Amino acid sequence: MVEELDRVVDGRHHDPHSVLGLHGRDLRVLRPGAVEAHVVLPDGTRVALPHRHRGVFAARLPKKVDDYRIAVRYEDGPELVQADSYRFAPTLGELDLHLIGEGRHEELWRALGSHVTAPDGAPDDAAGTRFAVWAPAARGVRVIGDFNYWSGLAHPMRSLGSSGVWELFVPGVGDGALYKFQILGSDGHWRDKADPMARRTQVPPATASVVTVSDHVWTDEQWMAERKGLEPHRAPMSVYEVHLGSWRPGLSYVDLAEQLVSYVSEMGFTHVEFLPVAGHPFDGSWGYQVTSYYAPTPRFGSPDEFRHLVDALHRADIGVLLDWVPAHFPKDSWALADFDGSALYEHPDPRRGEHPDWGTLIFNYGRTEVRNFLVANALYWLEEFHIDGLRVDAVASMIYLDYSRDSGAWEPNAFGGRENLEAIDFLKDLNTTVYRRNPDVAMIAEESTAYTGVTTPVEHGGLGFGLKWNMGWMHDSLEYVKKEPIHRKYHHNDITFSMVYAYSENYVLPLSHDEVVHGKQSLYNKAPGDEWQRAANLRALLSFMWSHPGKQLLFMGGEIAQGDEWSHEQGVPWWLLQYDHHAGVQQLVKALNDAYRPRAALWSLDTDPAGFVWLDGGDHEGNTLSHLRRGEDGSMLVCAVNFSPVPRSDWRIGLPVEGRWNAVLNSDEPRFGGSGHAAPTTVEAQAQEWHGQPFSAEITLPPLGAVWFEPQR
């Protein structure tokens, strides 16, 4: 028995409940450092528990009981009366353990982690917190926290068999308690680890997990009801990409629920997309090196305060997208890396398990429990926080084994190819599961290669995403705009090539945070010329973007023609709005959004060739483009862009129907900072064929500007 007690005290016993607690009339409790201990029976009788061995107190009770309390006194301290962790049966059921073992527990966050609860049949004063963690290679696991002075000696956990789950219920621990898991690895070393399933964490640089209870009452019923049956690729989506910490530095989730919601509403965006919100220790990673996948970053408030922000956006008719990072995670010793002394979450082969560019670890997508951890995490954000879609980061790094690796530094798959078959299967499983449970959300891939079928349904051989970032459009368009106008005629294909493949996937057109950092210059400063020309180029580009098939995404600061590159420390330079060029671009973006949402021609057939016709895509000498957009409702809009600083008066454009056409947008208006070059607000279509259309009209195409016209209804 002494040897077994030693194993319990040393934290090496797989089932401390078989030794501690009440067995018949024999009671054993582990209270290291206590000077005396008693058991308090239901009738108030107190029975002394003599010290037996290394902090274990034990006695035979005078009678069998169903309930009892432990009264313990430490030196120079008052007596503490507590329920006993080791009198309770496991709080995880067989179904939970079976699903975890199968890698199919779609609500994993309800089974693992910390949960305030009271075991079945326990009295009210026995309420506490259930702790559960997956650590299959561990020799022992303890709970440590502020409730036990960060010493796990008194709280060894029990192993729940082949599932690899360790569990313990600790009475008296409630909302706000700090904790970690102390894990004895297969290598014989103890590690203090944050809970991978923690739903709340300390503010960095502190690293403890926090027991949390949500009492948020959702008020977005109308939004959630109207979302049902919606197909995102056939709906308006104009996205404002936001880094929460630097939009207006110093704001909390609650502050953002007022200020950000008000601003996005005024600007007319349909959605916001947050750079990763999940817990991350290093500000400079912008959230892309995640250590706490189930916890919103505490930098701006509690999980319920983040729910409050989402709720407020929904009530304002604004959707919420999150950047989500299943491609890699950092090597911080207190987090997922080497979790139980083995390569648990990461792939054990460094050729697949380490990312050479980012200094991070790569998930083992072939391990069912790891896939379950990630799939359930996606569901967690969508279902617990009412998120409307996830933008999955760095998909290309997941699906190619040779991504950023030199020859010889990667291992081919079983068929000799470069595709990571396990990661591809994971992505298919992810999208299938997400859309089965949440058919109205948007799963969006940031995939930078020509991999085919990213937005093709899984049942048709694709990865099953709903939308994909169009990195080709982004790159080509920005390269075109960087050229001096006199040279653009030699690069006209850059601005038109996207329509060659526009319907190969369901696209989002991104001008994202990645394009305004690391020496790439801001959007405003990419174009050549003086201040007026740079602002005009940006207005023309944004007008072209909003009229191009695909959804739009613009990173914060772009809408005010921010001059410097984005800094996550300094934030958006709102003071620029005192200058006409910057205020004008902001007014243009607002006008684009105001024109966009009510006009189905600009979004309802984004993924259907019937929604777009080139009027003239070949005017390389004039640096102009013109095209027709059609809507599912029969609506039409013609758009023309002049990427030359030379105005085009009496410029003829083809029109599909006769009658009066009204100007919807002119990016050269003085209110946008434009030159105000005289341009008609209405034109009459004449029966003169042009651009392949039966009718046409003469319009003015302003310098470095865009105009939109629609038929009068």
Side-chain angles (χ1 to χ4, degrees):
M1 187 64 182
V2 170
E3 183 180 346
E4 196 161 20
L5 290 177
D6 282 336
R7 289 172 55 211
V8 170
V9 176
D10 291 338
R12 295 182 289 105
H13 202 295
H14 73 285
D15 186 13
H17 292 68
S18 67
V19 178
L20 303 176
L22 186 61
H23 300 273
R25 289 166 49 199
D26 292 326
L27 177 65
R28 302 181 197 93
V29 300
L30 178 59
R31 293 294 186 273
V35 296
E36 64 178 31
H38 291 78
V39 59
V40 183
L41 303 181
D43 62 4
T45 302
R46 293 170 64 94
V47 178
L49 297 173
H51 181 259
R52 300 299 187 188
H53 182 70
R54 297 182 64 194
V56 177
F57 296 77
R60 172 163 286 199
L61 304 187
K63 60 182 178 180
K64 281 190 173 184
V65 295
D66 295 325
D67 191 19
Y68 61 91
R69 296 291 180 273
I70 305 298
V72 182
R73 188 174 64 80
Y74 297 88
E75 189 172 357
D76 299 329
E79 184 176 73
L80 304 174
V81 180
Q82 306 163 323
D84 184 10
S85 293
Y86 298 92
R87 62 155 290 217
F88 298 107
T91 51
L92 269 71
E94 289 298 323
L95 179 59
D96 283 320
L97 297 176
H98 172 75
L99 292 173
I100 290 170
E102 292 288 314
R104 297 304 311 173
H105 202 307
E106 295 175 0
E107 298 182 1
L108 190 65
W109 66 91
R110 301 187 189 279
L112 300 182
S114 61
H115 296 272
V116 175
T117 185
D120 291 342
D124 291 342
D125 67 341
T129 296
R130 180 194 79 205
F131 296 94
V133 62
W134 178 60
R139 295 181 183 177
V141 183
R142 297 164 167 165
V143 181
I144 59 175
D146 57 0
F147 48 86
N148 62 14
Y149 304 98
W150 298 99
S151 170
L153 290 174
H155 291 109
M157 303 176 74
R158 70 175 140 208
S159 169
L160 299 181
S162 61
S163 67
V165 174
W166 297 73
E167 179 266 357
L168 183 67
F169 173 75
V170 183
V173 174
D175 188 24
L178 306 179
Y179 72 99
K180 284 188 177 183
F181 294 115
Q182 198 170 58
I183 298 174
L184 179 61
S186 56
D187 55 4
H189 293 294
W190 285 98
R191 295 167 173 82
D192 291 353
K193 291 287 190 176
D195 182 2
M197 302 293 299
R199 289 167 291 120
R200 187 173 182 179
T201 65
Q202 283 186 295
V203 178
T207 58
S209 304
V210 183
V211 176
T212 188
V213 175
S214 173
D215 58 9
H216 179 78
V217 178
W218 288 97
T219 58
D220 63 349
E221 297 87 354
Q222 182 175 347
W223 171 271
M224 297 299 284
E226 291 176 352
R227 197 181 79 176
K228 292 186 183 300
L230 191 68
E231 296 180 81
H233 67 282
R234 299 172 67 182
M237 183 180 287
S238 170
V239 185
Y240 187 52
E241 189 187 28
V242 174
H243 177 256
L244 286 173
S246 61
W247 182 70
R248 287 178 182 163
L251 298 187
S252 67
Y253 291 133
V254 174
D255 297 331
L256 289 160
E258 295 183 5
Q259 297 185 37
L260 179 63
V261 172
S262 175
Y263 180 76
V264 175
S265 295
E266 181 182 355
M267 290 298 295
F269 288 97
T270 67
H271 291 71
V272 295
E273 180 177 317
F274 296 138
L275 270 61
V277 170
H280 52 281
F282 178 47
D283 287 351
S285 79
W286 312 333
Y288 289 97
Q289 295 201 6
V290 179
T291 48
S292 302
Y293 274 80
Y294 285 79
T297 176
R299 290 170 174 83
F300 317 118
S302 70
D304 269 359
E305 287 169 336
F306 178 64
R307 288 181 174 93
H308 172 72
L309 171 57
V310 176
D311 214 350
L313 286 160
H314 282 174
R315 290 197 307 273
D317 201 27
I318 299 164
V320 182
L321 309 173
L322 285 189
D323 276 16
W324 185 62
V325 192
H328 63 122
F329 60 92
K331 297 180 178 180
D332 298 71
S333 61
W334 52 269
L336 296 179
D338 198 28
F339 187 76
D340 62 357
S342 70
L344 186 62
Y345 288 92
E346 64 269 35
H347 198 287
D349 185 341
R351 292 174 296 179
R352 294 195 181 191
E354 294 195 28
H355 200 292
D357 284 352
W358 303 327
T360 51
L361 299 173
I362 300 171
F363 284 102
N364 185 355
Y365 303 108
R367 188 160 190 168
T368 56
E369 298 94 339
V370 174
R371 286 168 62 156
N372 192 170
F373 173 82
L374 291 170
V375 171
N377 184 245
L379 296 172
Y380 174 72
W381 291 104
L382 295 168
E383 297 177 10
E384 291 291 322
F385 292 93
H386 291 199
I387 300 302
D388 302 294
L390 300 176
R391 176 269 201 185
V392 182
D393 181 62
V395 170
S397 76
M398 299 170 66
I399 60 179
Y400 291 112
L401 295 167
D402 62 345
Y403 186 91
S404 288
R405 297 183 189 275
D406 295 329
S407 177
W410 60 281
E411 180 188 29
N413 62 35
F415 303 101
R418 56 193 284 257
E419 294 80 14
N420 187 333
L421 303 179
E422 294 170 344
I424 290 169
D425 284 345
F426 158 70
L427 292 170
K428 292 179 178 181
D429 184 23
L430 166 72
N431 289 319
T432 299
T433 306
V434 164
Y435 279 124
R436 171 170 49 79
R437 291 178 59 119
N438 303 277
D440 310 316
V441 303
M443 293 297 289
I444 306 168
E446 188 227 5
E447 201 286 311
S448 56
T449 73
Y451 186 92
T452 57
V454 173
T455 59
T456 299
V458 171
E459 58 268 29
H460 295 150
L463 295 182
F465 284 96
L467 294 162
K468 171 185 171 175
W469 274 21
N470 192 335
M471 312 293 275
W473 174 88
M474 174 203 72
H475 176 270
D476 291 347
S477 298
L478 293 180
E479 284 299 310
Y480 178 82
V481 169
K482 289 177 185 177
K483 303 291 191 297
E484 291 281 354
I486 196 170
H487 297 141
R488 286 175 180 169
K489 63 182 178 180
Y490 304 112
H491 303 275
H492 194 73
N493 188 56
D494 284 348
I495 201 70
T496 61
F497 183 66
S498 58
M499 288 311 303
V500 173
Y501 60 88
Y503 305 106
S504 60
E505 303 281 3
N506 303 334
Y507 282 120
V508 175
L509 310 179
L511 293 178
S512 73
H513 65 280
D514 278 329
E515 303 316 307
V516 293
V517 291
H518 301 323
K520 296 180 182 178
Q521 298 185 304
S522 66
L523 294 180
Y524 173 67
N525 277 332
K526 289 182 190 294
D530 58 21
E531 285 189 350
W532 187 90
Q533 289 175 314
R534 295 201 303 276
N537 269 292
L538 180 54
R539 293 194 304 270
L541 174 63
L542 293 174
S543 301
F544 174 61
M545 173 181 177
W546 255 254
S547 69
H548 189 289
K551 313 309 177 185
Q552 297 83 38
L553 178 140
L554 181 64
F555 183 58
M556 64 183 200
E559 84 280 13
I560 66 166
Q562 178 171 333
D564 293 331
E565 290 186 351
W566 168 55
S567 164
H568 72 275
E569 296 172 327
Q570 296 178 9
V572 177
W574 297 106
W575 56 270
L576 288 173
L577 290 174
Q578 64 186 302
Y579 301 108
D580 291 344
H581 296 322
H582 301 278
V585 172
Q586 184 190 48
Q587 287 304 307
L588 174 77
V589 172
K590 183 180 186 305
L592 289 170
N593 282 328
D594 289 345
Y596 172 76
R597 195 192 289 233
R599 288 175 172 81
L602 289 171
W603 44 261
S604 62
L605 293 176
D606 273 338
T607 60
D608 187 332
F612 177 92
V613 177
W614 276 122
L615 297 176
D616 187 357
D619 181 20
H620 55 91
E621 289 289 344
N623 300 162
T624 72
L625 302 166
S626 54
H627 55 270
L628 167 68
R629 294 299 308 273
R630 295 183 184 273
E632 204 169 29
D633 60 355
S635 59
M636 291 177 284
L637 195 78
V638 295
C639 312
V641 190
N642 180 12
F643 282 108
S644 162
V646 179
R648 313 291 183 186
S649 300
D650 302 327
W651 193 84
R652 186 165 290 276
I653 188 169
L655 299 172
V657 296
E658 62 181 330
R660 176 169 293 180
W661 286 68
N662 297 323
V664 174
L665 178 84
N666 177 356
S667 71
D668 190 51
E669 287 185 44
R671 65 185 174 124
F672 302 141
S675 67
H677 196 85
T681 57
T682 64
V683 295
E684 291 289 335
Q686 303 165 357
Q688 180 178 348
E689 290 189 22
W690 204 261
H691 291 158
Q693 302 298 316
F695 303 92
S696 62
E698 287 186 348
I699 64 171
T700 297
L701 203 49
L704 295 173
V707 292
W708 297 356
F709 283 86
E710 67 181 353
Q712 182 165 303
R713 298 179 182 178

